[in-house]
Structure formats: structure tokens, C-alpha cells
Amino acid sequence: MSQTVLVIAAHPDDEVLGCGGAIARHAARSDRVHVAILAQGLYSRGEPTDAEVAALRSASEKASAILRVASLDLLDYPDNRMDTVARLDVTQTVEQLIATHRPSVVYTHWAGDVNVDHRRIHEAVVTACRPQPGHPVETLLFFEIASSTEWQPPGSAAPFLPNWFIDISATLDAKLSALQAYAAEMRPWPHARSLQAVEHLARWRGASVGYEAAEAFVLGRQRLGQQ
Ligand SMILES: [Zn+2]
């Protein structure tokens, strides 16, 4: 049975870094994948030009097309300043997304990233996914973001210890192509957010569990209902 999937990410490119291979795999299995990117991107580097904003929006749309995303929502929470926004506002935004799409699977950020927007979104999603009667979300998964998750010292937050692995051998190329759409966000090797590093990570996560390539997650919650 096909599933409805919702990816809730902070910044343009996080959706691809975190679960781009899984998105393409879902799409190949006729699942509907909706992507919501909550913060603007760019602004932490100073006020962007209209052309830069348009180019980033275009990159997000191109990446979504490569991964065969069903719908893309680009919201405008302040970039790298989500600690200045009331948590309730972010939670209500996520609740609205869940009410609109009724996903059974949700992917979002890990709680222990260096990036404050990632952490605030994690908290909002966990709150919005409280397993009340009739809530649609059955599987809640937290992804890792190269250049944020592994940059957190272990004493500063919970370390990312994955226990859920998705084989992306068949969709790693799509993930890397989608990242090339975000070329302006990528960095040269050996930066952790380089194409080579992302591929190395996928290969290592795969080798950890006997696959050619994988994305790794922490399972937040799995509910198995009657169906
Ligand atoms: Zn991010």
C-alpha cells in the first residue's frame, strides 16, 4: 500500500542531505512525498539579493523534481534565528502541515545538531506528533545532516546513534544530482558538506549494515495499528 510521507526540514538542501535517497526511493514505490522547508536559507550570511533568493527557490524546485517530490512548501521562518520564534508558532505550523497532508511517515531533524533551527524544528515536530487517538503519523524518523549533526561535541547534546537504515543503492545518484542543484550551498572536499563527503557517508552508512549505500536515521517512534 502506498504511503504518504512528509519531510520537515529547516533549510533548502537539508531535505536532500538528510533523506534525499529515501525520498527518491519512496517516490519510486508510488509513495507521495511532501517536503516543507521552514526557514529561508541565505540570511545568516547577510541580506541576500532578490536574484539570490530566486536562485535558491529555483534550486529547491529543481531538487524536488529530481527526487520526484509531490509538493514543495517553502516557508519563511528567520534563517538561523528560529530560537527567536515562539515554539508554539513553529509547532502550529507543523500541525497544519500534518493536517493538510495526513502523512503516515515523517522525517525531520535530529535533536542534537549544532544548528539551532534544526533543534527547534525537531522539538516542534515531536510536539506536533504526540500520538493522540486518530493521529496519522505512525513512523517518526530523525535524519543526520552532514556538517551539523557530526559537528556537535558529544558532551553538548545527545549523540546521533542510528538504528534505522534505508538502502539507497538505487537512488544515491538521484540524491547526488539533487545536491548538484544546490551547488551554491555545497563546499569543496574535504568539507563535510561536499558531494564527496556525502557519498562517503552514504557508502559508510551502507557498509555498516551490508548495503552498497544507505541513509541512517534514529527511530523516534513506530506505531503499528490494525491495518
Ligand atoms: Zn540546515
Side-chain angles (χ1 to χ4, degrees), residues 49-61:
T49 65
D50 288 349
E52 286 172 326
V53 171
L56 185 57
R57 174 172 286 270
S58 165
S60 298
E61 289 167 353

Side-chain angles (χ1 to χ4, degrees), residues 10-11 13-14 109 115 118 145:
H11 310 109
D13 80 0
D14 284 339
H109 290 279
N115 191 280
H118 296 186
I145 298 294

